[in-house]
Each structure stands twice: as structure tokens, then as C-alpha cells.
Amino acid sequence: MDREVRKIKQGLALKFSELVYNGFWHSPECEFLRHCIGHSQEAVVGTVRLSVFKGQVYILGRESPRSLYNEELVSMNVQGDYEPADATGFININSLRLKEYHRLQSKVTVKQDE
């Protein structure tokens, strides 16, 4: 799974555990969540090495032939399609919503002070 899908799945897992805890296993929403979580796992294959000690589980290692991790893509030492200027564009695009939020907040603050 990529990062964004994993984030959504983790949120769904919290809701799933809440539903199960409260006895809603056979509810439509729990059925929907089971389907979503199951769908997210269809392409997952690999091996995970664990250590279990006094009720704790520790991940010792994992490997998968379908892993999305590519060391060459995350290294700044490897030449590729990434340019340092790309980071500036990424930051500018992602900061637009924050700039707009703060612009609107300043208007609200001014009106409250009047």
C-alpha cells in the first residue's frame, strides 16, 4: 500500500475496532469496513518476522516482492527526474490552503475586535 491508502486504512481500522467492541459485527457499516479493509489487502504479499514477548509484538523485519519502497527514488544522491526546485513547487502548492485559512482567520479576528 502507498502512504495515503495506508493512512485511510488505519482510520478505518479504528472505526472497525469500535464497531466490533460495541457489538455491531453484523451491521451494514461493519460489513462495508470489512470489505474495504479486505480490498486493501488483496495485493499484499510477503514475509514478516516477529518477536513476541510478554504480550508485546515486535517487528524484526519484512520483505515483499511487491514492495513500493525503492531506495533509488528516496536517495538524494541518485540522479533522476527530481530537481531540488521541485520541492519549492510542492511546498507552494501544499501551502495554498494554509495561506487561505490564515487569511480568512485574520478577517474573522478583525471583525471580532470591532
Side-chain angles (χ1 to χ4, degrees):
M1 280 183 271
D2 75 352
R3 179 180 61 201
E4 296 304 316
V5 173
R6 191 175 68 247
K7 282 185 207 176
I8 292 169
K9 185 188 148 285
Q10 287 171 338
L12 292 177
L14 289 173
K15 182 63 177 175
F16 177 76
S17 63
E18 177 187 314
L19 289 170
V20 172
Y21 180 81
N22 290 318
F24 289 101
W25 179 262
H26 297 289
S27 67
E29 59 272 28
C30 195
E31 182 181 328
F32 175 77
L33 288 177
R34 286 194 308 273
H35 174 77
C36 290
I37 292 169
H39 180 73
S40 75
Q41 301 302 294
E42 288 176 356
V44 176
V45 295
T47 303
V48 178
R49 289 178 288 121
L50 304 171
S51 172
V52 180
F53 182 71
K54 292 187 177 184
Q56 298 293 318
V57 178
Y58 302 95
I59 298 173
L60 302 176
R62 56 188 163 239
E63 60 184 58
S64 172
R66 296 183 184 168
S67 175
L68 294 177
Y69 181 77
N70 182 337
E71 191 171 332
E72 291 182 10
L73 292 178
V74 297
S75 171
M76 293 295 194
N77 297 327
V78 176
Q79 294 297 320
D81 292 336
Y82 176 81
E83 297 292 331
D86 295 340
T88 302
F90 178 81
I91 292 167
N92 287 336
I93 288 172
N94 284 295
S95 69
L96 288 176
R97 71 180 183 89
L98 301 175
K99 290 176 182 175
E100 182 63 9
Y101 172 79
H102 287 287
R103 184 184 71 77
L104 293 173
Q105 285 300 100
S106 66
K107 284 184 176 183
V108 170
T109 304
V110 169
K111 286 184 180 181
Q112 288 177 352
D113 292 340
E114 293 176 349

